[in-house]
Amino acid sequence: MFTFLQVICEISLEIRSLDKEVRKWPMFQGLEAELKDINASVMAVRDLQNPAVQDRHWIELMRDTGREIEINNDTTLADLLSLNLHKFEEEVREIVSKASNEQKIERDLEKIDQTWRDMNFEYEKHDRTGLQLPKATEELTTTLEEIQVKILEMLANRDNSFSISKINFWHNTLSTTDQVLTLWFETQRVWCGLESIFVLCDDIKSQLPEDTQLFLQHDAEFKQLIEEIRNKPKVIDATTQRKELYTELQAIRDGFTVCEKALADYLETKRLVFPRFYFVSQVDLMDIVSNGKVPAKVMRHLSKLFDSVCDLVFSDDEADKNTAVRIIAKVMILLLASY
């Protein structure tokens, strides 16, 4: 191909070196125009050698040119030149560009398919129940966001028609996955905050009996979903195989919202009784209330309630182990540190 182009170039240079009078001859002008057309056609053929150009693109090109030839290993340059490609330079450029874009989209879709085929949940153990909870890892979050952006770019690409069904599949699939994961991790976060309070705190149970029952109902439902998602480690399978999952999660989240509201109102009564609770956040106060019978777990909040208190020393007597016998003040710590 390049040798043929070189020959055309050499002939063109040679005839241009002819006398000016010769250039006025119709024969010269006809030859020059013919060489120009052949050169344009050969350049078009070279562009069409792009590996991205498939049979469907040749069919489209032949439809544009109005001529048909067989494209196979026996196709000759003469066959290709018979398409008069010099008359369809713009069409050739469009088709080659389209083929390249389609190839890129296909390769990107293959990568997306491979990425999600290999994307599994990571799990972390819930301290109190021992349940394996899916983690919202940075890899999962970032991958989902980046691929959704890439899918939107494909949808906006004017050359997406060949792969549009696959693009739509991944657009719908990842939209569902995104919605389910967002709701799941939000529900899981709330459940982790409420679980020990409504299950272990007798005060809450007695003061909020209806809300406790509501929580326990949704708690059982959510634990079933946790087991379900644990048995489906692949993210796509877990989030898209059951269409009812999102609706079930939403119902659980709505129930937890009612429990959260009731608990917030209850905690406000605690603050009114002991105003120093206003010094701590809602999360810290829930932690204090839920661990009220385990002083060791409450100690980390002590300095937030009493600025000068660093720690408490509890009785060595097993029967009286939750009774504080001595206060360690921050001033004492500072004095000891100065020596």
Side-chain angles (χ1 to χ4, degrees):
M1 179 69 70
F2 288 107
T3 302
F4 190 76
L5 284 172
Q6 289 171 356
V7 170
I8 295 174
C9 183
E10 289 173 1
I11 294 175
S12 297
L13 290 173
E14 186 174 345
I15 65 172
R16 285 174 188 167
S17 65
L18 296 175
D19 188 87
K20 290 183 179 180
E21 289 299 320
V22 175
R23 296 184 186 182
K24 298 178 182 179
W25 296 355
M27 181 182 295
F28 174 88
Q29 294 172 355
L31 178 60
E32 186 178 43
E34 187 70 23
L35 286 172
K36 183 178 179 181
D37 291 345
I38 293 174
N39 184 67
S41 292
V42 172
M43 293 291 286
V45 170
R46 185 190 64 179
D47 292 341
L48 289 166
Q49 287 181 309
N50 189 316
V53 176
Q54 303 296 317
D55 289 345
R56 64 181 182 274
H57 302 116
W58 283 105
I59 292 172
E60 182 179 348
L61 178 61
M62 286 185 275
R63 187 166 56 244
D64 289 340
T65 62
R67 292 172 176 266
E68 291 189 13
I69 61 172
E70 289 290 332
I71 301 297
N72 51 46
N73 292 334
D74 297 325
T75 303
T76 65
L77 178 59
D79 294 331
L80 297 173
L81 293 178
S82 71
L83 295 173
N84 293 325
L85 296 178
H86 61 280
K87 297 180 180 179
F88 304 95
E89 292 181 80
E90 185 61 31
E91 287 81 355
V92 169
R93 280 193 290 270
E94 286 288 332
I95 287 173
V96 173
S97 174
K98 177 182 179 180
S100 297
N101 283 336
E102 288 179 350
Q103 184 184 64
K104 183 179 184 305
I105 289 174
E106 287 182 88
R107 288 176 176 174
D108 286 343
L109 286 170
E110 289 174 2
K111 291 178 183 177
I112 289 171
D113 184 72
Q114 184 64 49
T115 296
W116 288 108
R117 193 184 305 134
D118 298 336
M119 181 67 73
N120 290 348
F121 279 116
E122 292 183 25
Y123 299 90
E124 57 186 348
K125 186 177 180 180
H126 183 245
D127 290 338
R128 204 196 72 78
T129 63
L131 291 171
Q132 294 293 324
L133 305 180
K135 292 174 62 177
T137 62
E138 183 177 353
E139 179 189 8
L140 174 58
T141 304
T142 302
T143 301
L144 182 57
E145 290 178 355
E146 289 178 350
I147 292 183
Q148 281 186 298
V149 170
K150 189 175 289 293
I151 290 295
L152 289 176
E153 291 174 353
M154 291 181 189
L155 285 172
N157 193 312
R158 65 174 185 169
D159 297 321
N160 64 12
S161 58
F162 181 73
S163 300
I164 192 63
S165 60
K166 289 183 180 179
I167 296 171
N168 283 331
F169 167 79
W170 280 113
H171 179 253
N172 295 332
T173 298
L174 294 182
S175 293
T176 299
T177 295
D178 188 21
Q179 291 173 357
V180 170
L181 288 181
T182 299
L183 182 57
W184 178 279
F185 289 125
E186 173 62 18
T187 304
Q188 182 172 287
R189 180 190 64 78
V190 175
W191 175 80
C192 288
L194 297 178
E195 196 271 340
S196 59
I197 296 175
F198 280 100
V199 173
L200 298 180
C201 188
D202 293 334
D203 188 36
I204 295 292
K205 292 179 182 179
S206 62
Q207 295 296 323
L208 304 173
E210 293 182 4
D211 297 294
T212 299
Q213 286 303 313
L214 178 63
F215 175 81
L216 293 177
Q217 173 192 333
H218 290 304
D219 172 67
E221 294 169 353
F222 190 57
K223 285 177 178 176
Q224 287 181 348
L225 294 184
I226 291 173
E227 287 299 324
E228 177 184 322
I229 209 170
R230 181 69 180 91
N231 294 325
K232 294 179 180 177
K234 293 193 178 299
V235 175
I236 292 297
D237 292 347
T239 56
T240 62
Q241 281 188 347
R242 277 208 314 118
K243 295 180 180 179
E244 304 84 4
L245 178 59
Y246 184 86
T247 304
E248 293 171 2
L249 270 175
Q250 187 63 64
I252 293 171
R253 179 66 183 93
D254 291 343
F256 286 166
T257 298
V258 174
C259 297
E260 270 189 308
K261 176 64 168 60
L263 181 60
D265 293 341
Y266 172 74
L267 293 178
E268 184 62 22
T269 65
K270 293 292 186 181
R271 286 190 169 108
L272 292 174
V273 173
F274 188 64
R276 282 184 179 270
F277 280 150
Y278 281 108
F279 297 160
V280 297
S281 68
Q282 189 87 337
V283 174
D284 288 343
L285 183 52
M286 284 196 294
D287 188 53
I288 292 170
V289 171
S290 63
N291 292 299
K293 294 184 178 181
V294 189
K297 292 187 176 181
V298 179
M299 287 302 96
R300 61 195 182 96
H301 301 296
L302 197 61
S303 61
K304 301 172 188 176
L305 298 170
F306 303 96
D307 188 56
S308 61
V309 176
C310 179
D311 202 356
L312 297 178
V313 177
F314 291 90
S315 172
D316 294 330
D317 186 352
E318 184 64 26
D320 203 25
K321 63 180 181 180
N322 288 336
T323 300
V325 296
R326 186 154 53 95
I327 295 175
I328 299 177
K330 290 182 179 179
V331 175
M332 184 185 299
I333 298 295
L334 291 172
L335 287 173
L336 290 173
S338 65
Y339 284 100

